[in-house]
Short mmCIF file of all heavy atoms in Angstrom, two decimals:
data_model
loop_
_atom_site.label_atom_id
_atom_site.label_comp_id
_atom_site.label_asym_id
_atom_site.label_seq_id
_atom_site.Cartn_x
_atom_site.Cartn_y
_atom_site.Cartn_z
N THR X 1 91.48 24.65 -27.42
CA THR X 1 92.79 24.09 -27.11
C THR X 1 92.66 23.13 -25.94
O THR X 1 91.78 23.29 -25.09
CB THR X 1 93.80 25.20 -26.77
OG1 THR X 1 95.09 24.61 -26.55
CG2 THR X 1 93.39 25.96 -25.52
N GLY X 2 93.55 22.14 -25.91
CA GLY X 2 93.53 21.20 -24.80
C GLY X 2 94.39 19.99 -25.10
O GLY X 2 94.86 19.81 -26.23
N PRO X 3 94.61 19.14 -24.10
CA PRO X 3 95.31 17.88 -24.36
C PRO X 3 94.49 17.03 -25.31
O PRO X 3 93.26 17.03 -25.26
CB PRO X 3 95.42 17.25 -22.97
CG PRO X 3 94.32 17.88 -22.17
CD PRO X 3 94.17 19.27 -22.70
N LEU X 4 95.18 16.31 -26.18
CA LEU X 4 94.50 15.48 -27.18
C LEU X 4 94.15 14.14 -26.57
O LEU X 4 95.03 13.42 -26.06
CB LEU X 4 95.40 15.30 -28.40
CG LEU X 4 94.76 14.60 -29.60
CD1 LEU X 4 93.66 15.46 -30.21
CD2 LEU X 4 95.82 14.28 -30.65
N LEU X 5 92.89 13.79 -26.60
CA LEU X 5 92.42 12.50 -26.10
C LEU X 5 91.91 11.66 -27.27
O LEU X 5 90.92 12.03 -27.91
CB LEU X 5 91.31 12.70 -25.06
CG LEU X 5 90.66 11.42 -24.54
CD1 LEU X 5 91.68 10.54 -23.82
CD2 LEU X 5 89.49 11.73 -23.62
N ARG X 6 92.58 10.56 -27.52
CA ARG X 6 92.18 9.67 -28.61
C ARG X 6 91.19 8.65 -28.07
O ARG X 6 91.46 7.98 -27.06
CB ARG X 6 93.40 8.96 -29.20
CG ARG X 6 94.42 9.90 -29.81
CD ARG X 6 95.68 9.14 -30.20
NE ARG X 6 96.71 10.04 -30.67
CZ ARG X 6 96.90 10.39 -31.94
NH1 ARG X 6 96.11 9.88 -32.87
NH2 ARG X 6 97.85 11.23 -32.27
N ILE X 7 90.08 8.51 -28.75
CA ILE X 7 89.09 7.49 -28.40
C ILE X 7 89.09 6.46 -29.52
O ILE X 7 88.69 6.75 -30.66
CB ILE X 7 87.70 8.11 -28.21
CG1 ILE X 7 87.73 9.09 -27.03
CG2 ILE X 7 86.66 7.03 -27.98
CD1 ILE X 7 86.40 9.75 -26.73
N SER X 8 89.56 5.27 -29.20
CA SER X 8 89.71 4.23 -30.21
C SER X 8 88.36 3.59 -30.52
O SER X 8 87.46 3.53 -29.68
CB SER X 8 90.69 3.15 -29.72
OG SER X 8 91.95 3.70 -29.43
N ASP X 9 88.27 3.11 -31.76
CA ASP X 9 87.07 2.37 -32.15
C ASP X 9 86.94 1.10 -31.29
O ASP X 9 87.93 0.46 -30.94
CB ASP X 9 87.16 1.96 -33.62
CG ASP X 9 86.54 3.01 -34.52
OD1 ASP X 9 86.20 4.10 -34.02
OD2 ASP X 9 86.40 2.75 -35.73
N SER X 10 85.70 0.77 -30.96
CA SER X 10 85.44 -0.47 -30.22
C SER X 10 84.02 -0.92 -30.52
O SER X 10 83.19 -0.14 -31.03
CB SER X 10 85.60 -0.25 -28.71
OG SER X 10 84.57 0.60 -28.23
N ASP X 11 83.72 -2.14 -30.18
CA ASP X 11 82.36 -2.65 -30.37
C ASP X 11 81.37 -1.85 -29.54
O ASP X 11 80.25 -1.56 -29.98
CB ASP X 11 82.29 -4.13 -30.00
CG ASP X 11 83.05 -5.01 -30.99
OD1 ASP X 11 83.29 -4.54 -32.13
OD2 ASP X 11 83.40 -6.14 -30.61
N ASP X 12 81.76 -1.49 -28.30
CA ASP X 12 80.87 -0.72 -27.44
C ASP X 12 80.57 0.65 -28.05
O ASP X 12 79.42 1.13 -28.00
CB ASP X 12 81.48 -0.54 -26.05
CG ASP X 12 81.39 -1.79 -25.19
OD1 ASP X 12 80.46 -2.60 -25.45
OD2 ASP X 12 82.22 -1.95 -24.30
N LEU X 13 81.58 1.28 -28.59
CA LEU X 13 81.40 2.61 -29.17
C LEU X 13 80.38 2.58 -30.29
O LEU X 13 79.46 3.42 -30.33
CB LEU X 13 82.74 3.13 -29.69
CG LEU X 13 82.78 4.58 -30.19
CD1 LEU X 13 82.44 5.55 -29.08
CD2 LEU X 13 84.14 4.89 -30.79
N THR X 14 80.49 1.63 -31.19
CA THR X 14 79.52 1.55 -32.29
C THR X 14 78.18 1.02 -31.82
O THR X 14 77.13 1.46 -32.30
CB THR X 14 80.08 0.65 -33.41
OG1 THR X 14 80.44 -0.63 -32.86
CG2 THR X 14 81.31 1.28 -34.04
N ARG X 15 78.18 0.11 -30.86
CA ARG X 15 76.91 -0.47 -30.38
C ARG X 15 76.04 0.59 -29.72
O ARG X 15 74.84 0.69 -29.98
CB ARG X 15 77.20 -1.62 -29.41
CG ARG X 15 75.95 -2.26 -28.81
CD ARG X 15 76.29 -3.61 -28.20
NE ARG X 15 77.29 -3.48 -27.15
CZ ARG X 15 76.99 -3.26 -25.87
NH1 ARG X 15 75.73 -3.11 -25.49
NH2 ARG X 15 77.94 -3.17 -24.95
N PHE X 16 76.63 1.40 -28.84
CA PHE X 16 75.85 2.43 -28.16
C PHE X 16 75.47 3.56 -29.12
O PHE X 16 74.46 4.23 -28.93
CB PHE X 16 76.60 2.99 -26.97
CG PHE X 16 76.66 2.03 -25.82
CD1 PHE X 16 77.87 1.68 -25.26
CD2 PHE X 16 75.50 1.47 -25.30
CE1 PHE X 16 77.93 0.79 -24.20
CE2 PHE X 16 75.56 0.58 -24.24
CZ PHE X 16 76.78 0.23 -23.69
N THR X 17 76.28 3.76 -30.15
CA THR X 17 75.97 4.82 -31.11
C THR X 17 74.72 4.49 -31.91
O THR X 17 73.91 5.38 -32.20
CB THR X 17 77.17 5.03 -32.05
OG1 THR X 17 78.19 5.70 -31.32
CG2 THR X 17 76.79 5.88 -33.26
N VAL X 18 74.53 3.25 -32.29
CA VAL X 18 73.36 2.89 -33.08
C VAL X 18 72.12 2.71 -32.20
O VAL X 18 71.01 2.60 -32.71
CB VAL X 18 73.59 1.61 -33.90
CG1 VAL X 18 74.74 1.82 -34.87
CG2 VAL X 18 73.87 0.41 -32.99
N ALA X 19 72.30 2.73 -30.88
CA ALA X 19 71.14 2.71 -29.99
C ALA X 19 70.47 4.07 -30.01
O ALA X 19 71.08 5.08 -30.34
CB ALA X 19 71.59 2.35 -28.57
N PRO X 20 69.18 4.15 -29.66
CA PRO X 20 68.42 5.42 -29.73
C PRO X 20 68.76 6.33 -28.56
O PRO X 20 67.94 6.58 -27.68
CB PRO X 20 66.97 4.96 -29.68
CG PRO X 20 67.00 3.70 -28.89
CD PRO X 20 68.29 3.03 -29.26
N LEU X 21 70.01 6.84 -28.54
CA LEU X 21 70.44 7.67 -27.43
C LEU X 21 70.30 9.15 -27.70
O LEU X 21 70.07 9.94 -26.79
CB LEU X 21 71.92 7.39 -27.10
CG LEU X 21 72.26 5.99 -26.63
CD1 LEU X 21 73.76 5.88 -26.44
CD2 LEU X 21 71.55 5.70 -25.32
N VAL X 22 70.50 9.55 -28.95
CA VAL X 22 70.63 10.97 -29.26
C VAL X 22 69.50 11.42 -30.16
O VAL X 22 69.24 10.82 -31.19
CB VAL X 22 71.99 11.24 -29.96
CG1 VAL X 22 72.15 12.72 -30.24
CG2 VAL X 22 73.13 10.74 -29.10
N SER X 23 68.81 12.46 -29.73
CA SER X 23 67.80 13.07 -30.58
C SER X 23 68.37 14.31 -31.21
O SER X 23 69.48 14.74 -30.91
CB SER X 23 66.56 13.42 -29.75
OG SER X 23 66.84 14.53 -28.93
N MET X 24 67.62 14.94 -32.08
CA MET X 24 68.10 16.16 -32.73
C MET X 24 68.15 17.33 -31.76
O MET X 24 68.82 18.31 -32.02
CB MET X 24 67.18 16.51 -33.90
CG MET X 24 67.26 15.54 -35.05
SD MET X 24 68.81 15.66 -35.94
CE MET X 24 68.56 17.18 -36.84
N ARG X 25 67.49 17.26 -30.63
CA ARG X 25 67.40 18.41 -29.75
C ARG X 25 68.02 18.16 -28.37
O ARG X 25 68.29 19.10 -27.64
CB ARG X 25 65.93 18.81 -29.55
CG ARG X 25 65.30 19.35 -30.82
CD ARG X 25 65.97 20.64 -31.25
NE ARG X 25 65.45 21.12 -32.52
CZ ARG X 25 65.97 22.12 -33.20
NH1 ARG X 25 67.05 22.74 -32.76
NH2 ARG X 25 65.44 22.50 -34.34
N SER X 26 68.22 16.93 -27.99
CA SER X 26 68.72 16.69 -26.64
C SER X 26 69.46 15.38 -26.60
O SER X 26 69.36 14.55 -27.48
CB SER X 26 67.56 16.67 -25.65
OG SER X 26 66.68 15.60 -25.94
N VAL X 27 70.18 15.20 -25.50
CA VAL X 27 70.89 13.95 -25.27
C VAL X 27 70.11 13.14 -24.25
O VAL X 27 69.87 13.59 -23.13
CB VAL X 27 72.32 14.23 -24.76
CG1 VAL X 27 73.08 12.93 -24.56
CG2 VAL X 27 73.06 15.14 -25.71
N ALA X 28 69.72 11.93 -24.64
CA ALA X 28 69.00 11.06 -23.70
C ALA X 28 69.97 10.55 -22.64
O ALA X 28 71.18 10.61 -22.79
CB ALA X 28 68.37 9.89 -24.46
N ASP X 29 69.43 10.04 -21.54
CA ASP X 29 70.29 9.46 -20.51
C ASP X 29 71.06 8.28 -21.11
O ASP X 29 70.48 7.38 -21.72
CB ASP X 29 69.45 8.97 -19.33
CG ASP X 29 68.85 10.14 -18.57
OD1 ASP X 29 69.42 11.24 -18.65
OD2 ASP X 29 67.80 9.93 -17.91
N ALA X 30 72.34 8.29 -20.92
CA ALA X 30 73.16 7.20 -21.42
C ALA X 30 72.91 5.96 -20.58
O ALA X 30 72.64 6.05 -19.38
CB ALA X 30 74.63 7.59 -21.37
N PRO X 31 72.96 4.78 -21.17
CA PRO X 31 72.75 3.55 -20.40
C PRO X 31 73.83 3.40 -19.35
O PRO X 31 74.96 3.82 -19.53
CB PRO X 31 72.83 2.45 -21.46
CG PRO X 31 73.62 3.05 -22.59
CD PRO X 31 73.28 4.51 -22.59
N ALA X 32 73.45 2.81 -18.25
CA ALA X 32 74.39 2.64 -17.14
C ALA X 32 75.33 1.50 -17.49
O ALA X 32 75.15 0.35 -17.07
CB ALA X 32 73.64 2.34 -15.85
N SER X 33 76.33 1.77 -18.28
CA SER X 33 77.28 0.75 -18.71
C SER X 33 78.66 1.10 -18.24
O SER X 33 78.99 2.27 -18.03
CB SER X 33 77.27 0.62 -20.24
OG SER X 33 77.91 1.74 -20.80
N ASP X 34 79.49 0.11 -18.07
CA ASP X 34 80.87 0.35 -17.69
C ASP X 34 81.58 1.17 -18.76
O ASP X 34 82.43 2.01 -18.43
CB ASP X 34 81.59 -0.99 -17.48
CG ASP X 34 81.09 -1.73 -16.25
OD1 ASP X 34 80.48 -1.07 -15.38
OD2 ASP X 34 81.30 -2.95 -16.18
N TYR X 35 81.24 0.93 -20.02
CA TYR X 35 81.93 1.63 -21.09
C TYR X 35 81.66 3.14 -21.04
O TYR X 35 82.59 3.95 -21.06
CB TYR X 35 81.52 1.09 -22.46
CG TYR X 35 82.14 1.87 -23.60
CD1 TYR X 35 83.47 1.68 -23.94
CD2 TYR X 35 81.42 2.85 -24.28
CE1 TYR X 35 84.07 2.41 -24.95
CE2 TYR X 35 82.00 3.59 -25.28
CZ TYR X 35 83.32 3.37 -25.62
OH TYR X 35 83.91 4.11 -26.61
N VAL X 36 80.39 3.52 -20.96
CA VAL X 36 80.04 4.94 -20.96
C VAL X 36 80.56 5.64 -19.73
O VAL X 36 81.16 6.73 -19.80
CB VAL X 36 78.52 5.12 -21.10
CG1 VAL X 36 78.14 6.58 -20.93
CG2 VAL X 36 78.04 4.61 -22.45
N SER X 37 80.37 5.05 -18.55
CA SER X 37 80.86 5.68 -17.32
C SER X 37 82.38 5.76 -17.34
O SER X 37 82.97 6.74 -16.87
CB SER X 37 80.37 4.92 -16.09
OG SER X 37 80.83 3.58 -16.11
N GLY X 38 83.03 4.73 -17.88
CA GLY X 38 84.49 4.75 -17.97
C GLY X 38 84.97 5.84 -18.91
O GLY X 38 85.99 6.50 -18.65
N LEU X 39 84.26 6.05 -20.01
CA LEU X 39 84.62 7.09 -20.97
C LEU X 39 84.52 8.47 -20.33
O LEU X 39 85.43 9.31 -20.46
CB LEU X 39 83.70 7.00 -22.19
CG LEU X 39 84.05 7.82 -23.42
CD1 LEU X 39 85.41 7.43 -23.96
CD2 LEU X 39 82.97 7.63 -24.49
N ILE X 40 83.44 8.72 -19.60
CA ILE X 40 83.28 10.00 -18.92
C ILE X 40 84.36 10.20 -17.87
O ILE X 40 84.92 11.28 -17.71
CB ILE X 40 81.87 10.08 -18.30
CG1 ILE X 40 80.80 10.08 -19.40
CG2 ILE X 40 81.74 11.33 -17.43
CD1 ILE X 40 79.39 9.97 -18.88
N THR X 41 84.68 9.14 -17.15
CA THR X 41 85.72 9.23 -16.12
C THR X 41 87.07 9.58 -16.72
O THR X 41 87.82 10.42 -16.18
CB THR X 41 85.82 7.89 -15.35
OG1 THR X 41 84.57 7.63 -14.72
CG2 THR X 41 86.93 7.94 -14.31
N VAL X 42 87.40 8.97 -17.84
CA VAL X 42 88.68 9.25 -18.50
C VAL X 42 88.75 10.72 -18.93
O VAL X 42 89.76 11.40 -18.73
CB VAL X 42 88.87 8.32 -19.71
CG1 VAL X 42 90.04 8.80 -20.59
CG2 VAL X 42 89.13 6.90 -19.26
N VAL X 43 87.68 11.22 -19.50
CA VAL X 43 87.66 12.61 -19.96
C VAL X 43 87.81 13.56 -18.78
O VAL X 43 88.59 14.52 -18.82
CB VAL X 43 86.37 12.89 -20.75
CG1 VAL X 43 86.23 14.38 -21.04
CG2 VAL X 43 86.36 12.11 -22.05
N ARG X 44 87.09 13.32 -17.71
CA ARG X 44 87.13 14.23 -16.56
C ARG X 44 88.44 14.13 -15.78
O ARG X 44 88.75 15.02 -14.98
CB ARG X 44 85.93 13.95 -15.66
CG ARG X 44 84.63 14.35 -16.31
CD ARG X 44 83.42 14.07 -15.44
NE ARG X 44 82.20 14.51 -16.11
CZ ARG X 44 80.97 14.30 -15.65
NH1 ARG X 44 80.80 13.64 -14.51
NH2 ARG X 44 79.92 14.72 -16.31
N ALA X 45 89.20 13.07 -16.01
CA ALA X 45 90.50 12.93 -15.34
C ALA X 45 91.62 13.64 -16.08
O ALA X 45 92.74 13.72 -15.55
CB ALA X 45 90.84 11.44 -15.20
#
């Protein structure tokens, strides 16, 4: 349960998704981008 947070489609969302960020066993360090840091900030707020 929790407040619903909608994440809209964007070029950044698809661009970083097709980058080699995620393996089957772990999450690689996300690139230091305004988009990713902004996304984390929104969620934690």
Side-chain angles (χ1 to χ4, degrees):
T1 183
L4 187 67
L5 176 62
R6 298 173 186 268
I7 297 181
S8 301
D9 269 9
S10 68
D11 291 340
D12 283 334
L13 186 62
T14 54
R15 178 164 59 89
F16 287 126
T17 286
V18 299
L21 297 177
V22 182
S23 73
M24 292 289 286
R25 293 296 175 188
S26 63
V27 182
D29 291 336
S33 73
D34 291 341
Y35 175 77
V36 173
S37 61
L39 191 60
I40 295 172
T41 299
V42 168
V43 171
R44 292 179 178 174

